Amino acid sequence: MTNRLKIYFKKVFSRFSQMLYLTLSNFTKNALWESASACAFGFIFSFIPVTMIIFTVLVGILRIYPNIYNFIISFTEQFDAVVKITPVLDRLLQIRSFSSFNIFLAVWIVWMARKLFNSIIISMNKVFRSVSKRKSWFNQILTFIIEFSITLIIAVIIIAAFVLSRIMSLSFFQTLLAYFPLLQKQSSSNLGTFVLYLILFISTVLAYRIIPGTKPLLRRCIFYAALSTAAFFIVSWFLNMFMNVTNYNTVYGTISSLVVLMMKVYLFFIIFLFCAQMIYVSQFFVTLLRSEIYLLPTFESKGIGNYLRRFLFINPSEIQTKENTVKLEIGETLYRKDEKVTRVYFLKSGAISEASDKGFTLRSQGCFLGDVQCILNQTYQAEAQALAECELISFTAEEFMQIIERSHHAARKAISKISEYTATAYNAENE
């Protein structure tokens, strides 16, 4: 039982390490650090327009239920250091009819509000572009759909929070909370924070579920949205603990509040895109793992990065099954010359000699056999025999071609190997 637990935890740890490496690697390759900056920059343009759209949705309710006005003002007080929203809301409440200028202003507000959502969609497309089949025009329509959906959700959550605050103000709950003064203090001061993080969580779930175009599982979207929101909450808590914004305001003025806000927004989008990349890796883990073992550096390659990649991926147990595992004893033949290529082999351990008219070629651990011939639709060009006890993972021709089709890095390596193969064949013919 103990050995089985060790094997299980070793497999779980190996999978987690591989997923983390693939996430960090693809995060860097997709330049998502810059994409997070673009999203934060889009936030600058879209914050006021999105706020105006939300308040426009709420204006009718505010006129019927004036008490909600004070609740919204108290909720937006946390942004007063950056921008005062009260004058905007008061102005919206005074509008009784629409003029041509108001219509033009409304169109401009909607157009400016899309900057943030367009930046998010472009960033998410970097993550899922290799598997998403959506057209660019659909992404433009999706931008407006998400824009209005998010603003409507925010409006509904604000109303729900107001209703909850009114319920908590009833005498029954006040009597109950009187026995817990600390809880009463916390509940009143943290309601706005709770609303903010609830909005972030629901918006993140929708973004992860709708934008990719690959139909990720809803439970996976919920899990990573919760992880993203929790991580941002912890980061914000640490920043608030170690950064006294009031002191910065005294020295630098309100511009310091804007700088701190932008830093938080940038950190949020880094976490948001990192979790989006983890969704991609989780959803297509097997394909990415196959691609990574095809891209493994040779043992002659030096460097910490190469050592780490070989350590993590040289034994890809996640994709190995009894059906695709091939074991050879010393002297056994894997394939013969002129046989049709139906399978491509990854040499997990051992050594194999390929004998052809040009001589012998040694294939060591971590090599692929038959990959070039599979791509060129040729037969095997040599006879492969085991020089030591070997363990191989076999791929069907279809499975191997999927690796090439879905990973441009794997395709680049395949092209390089084909160029080297054709150059060698051409030189041999001339001789």
Side-chain angles (χ1 to χ4, degrees):
M1 187 67 178
T2 305
N3 290 333
R4 292 177 65 183
L5 281 174
K6 286 182 178 179
I7 293 171
Y8 172 76
F9 283 115
K10 183 179 179 181
K11 186 175 181 179
V12 170
F13 179 75
S14 176
R15 177 186 172 90
F16 174 77
S17 302
Q18 290 169 347
M19 285 186 61
L20 185 60
Y21 176 86
L22 289 170
T23 301
L24 288 169
S25 176
N26 283 280
F27 189 90
T28 304
K29 289 176 182 177
N30 292 328
L32 294 183
W33 301 101
E34 290 77 8
S35 296
S37 300
C39 291
F41 189 70
F43 176 84
I44 298 176
F45 285 93
S46 300
F47 179 74
I48 295 298
V50 169
T51 303
M52 293 181 69
I53 294 173
I54 295 169
F55 288 161
T56 302
V57 174
L58 292 172
V59 159
I61 300 173
L62 292 175
R63 287 171 179 164
I64 300 174
Y65 301 102
N67 289 336
I68 198 174
Y69 176 84
N70 296 327
F71 174 79
I72 293 176
I73 294 302
S74 64
F75 173 70
T76 57
E77 282 178 354
Q78 53 189 314
F79 301 110
D80 282 351
V82 180
V83 59
K84 290 188 176 296
I85 301 175
T86 307
V88 177
L89 184 57
D90 291 337
R91 183 60 183 167
L92 286 173
L93 288 171
Q94 295 174 7
I95 297 176
R96 300 293 178 180
S97 60
F98 284 99
S99 63
S100 56
F101 177 75
N102 288 337
I103 295 173
F104 169 78
L105 189 62
V107 172
W108 180 84
I109 290 171
V110 171
W111 186 260
M112 289 302 295
R114 69 184 287 275
K115 294 290 185 181
L116 171 61
F117 303 102
N118 193 45
S119 298
I120 293 173
I121 289 178
I122 291 173
S123 301
M124 293 281 282
N125 283 341
K126 285 186 178 181
V127 177
F128 292 90
R129 63 187 169 191
S130 62
V131 290
S132 180
K133 298 180 181 179
R134 283 180 174 165
K135 304 296 183 182
S136 57
W137 61 266
F138 184 83
N139 287 330
Q140 296 300 319
I141 297 175
L142 187 63
T143 301
F144 289 104
I145 293 174
I146 293 176
E147 176 183 338
F148 288 107
S149 299
I150 295 297
T151 52
L152 184 61
I153 289 170
I154 293 173
V156 170
I157 291 176
I158 291 174
I159 294 171
F162 169 73
V163 172
L164 178 63
S165 68
R166 301 300 293 178
I167 293 174
M168 296 301 294
S169 65
L170 294 176
S171 57
F172 170 77
F173 289 100
Q174 288 300 309
T175 304
L176 187 63
L177 289 173
Y179 294 100
F180 306 97
L182 181 62
L183 182 63
Q184 185 178 19
K185 180 181 178 181
Q186 291 298 318
S187 63
S188 59
S189 62
N190 290 340
L191 182 60
T193 303
F194 172 77
V195 171
L196 177 62
Y197 282 98
L198 181 61
I199 290 170
L200 284 178
F201 171 70
I202 295 176
S203 302
T204 304
V205 171
L206 289 175
Y208 287 164
R209 176 66 176 172
I210 298 173
I211 296 177
T214 59
K215 298 180 180 179
L217 296 175
L218 180 60
R219 65 175 179 270
R220 182 174 287 159
C221 297
I222 292 173
F223 172 78
Y224 283 107
L227 182 63
S228 173
T229 307
F232 178 63
F233 173 79
I234 294 171
V235 169
S236 298
W237 182 78
F238 271 102
L239 287 176
N240 294 334
M241 283 286 292
F242 296 103
M243 295 182 66
N244 193 327
V245 181
T246 304
N247 292 340
Y248 291 128
N249 287 344
T250 304
V251 178
Y252 300 107
T254 56
I255 189 66
S256 60
S257 297
L258 178 61
V259 172
V260 173
L261 176 63
M262 288 306 303
M263 182 173 63
K264 287 185 177 181
V265 171
Y266 175 65
L267 291 174
F268 167 76
F269 280 113
I270 287 177
I271 297 169
F272 171 85
L273 292 174
F274 186 83
C275 289
Q277 189 69 73
M278 290 197 77
I279 290 176
Y280 171 79
V281 172
S282 300
Q283 191 175 2
F284 302 100
F285 180 64
V286 172
T287 301
L288 291 171
L289 188 56
R290 289 172 177 170
S291 173
E292 196 62 36
I293 65 172
Y294 186 65
L295 293 167
L296 275 180
T298 61
F299 280 87
E300 290 76 21
S301 303
K302 305 300 180 181
I304 297 176
N306 292 330
Y307 283 124
L308 178 62
R309 289 173 62 189
R310 285 195 295 267
F311 174 77
L312 288 174
F313 299 103
I314 198 68
N315 295 310
S317 58
E318 187 69 25
I319 61 174
Q320 186 174 3
T321 62
K322 291 182 179 180
E323 290 74 21
N324 65 14
T325 301
V326 178
K327 293 185 177 181
L328 299 176
E329 298 294 333
I330 299 175
E332 277 194 81
T333 300
L334 180 63
Y335 53 77
R336 299 185 184 280
K337 184 180 179 182
D338 295 329
E339 283 184 1
K340 183 180 179 182
V341 177
T342 57
R343 289 187 174 273
V344 176
Y345 299 93
F346 170 69
L347 184 55
K348 183 177 176 182
S349 62
I352 285 180
S353 172
E354 284 189 320
S356 64
D357 298 336
K358 304 167 190 174
F360 294 89
T361 304
L362 177 64
R363 303 295 185 183
S364 57
Q365 182 186 22
C367 291
F368 267 77
L369 305 169
D371 52 335
V372 173
Q373 290 74 31
C374 178
I375 296 171
L376 297 177
N377 196 25
Q378 293 181 342
T379 58
Y380 293 115
Q381 301 298 298
E383 180 176 319
Q385 283 189 339
L387 297 177
E389 291 185 355
C390 297
E391 184 175 347
L392 304 98
I393 300 176
S394 66
F395 301 92
T396 65
E398 293 76 14
E399 289 173 341
F400 178 74
M401 292 308 296
Q402 283 181 358
I403 297 174
I404 305 301
E405 291 170 1
R406 295 185 178 180
S407 172
H408 63 279
H409 297 290
R412 188 185 306 159
K413 180 174 181 178
I415 292 171
S416 176
K417 293 185 73 172
I418 290 171
S419 299
E420 182 181 346
Y421 172 78
T422 52
T424 303
Y426 177 77
N427 291 334
E429 288 179 2
N430 288 341
E431 292 176 359

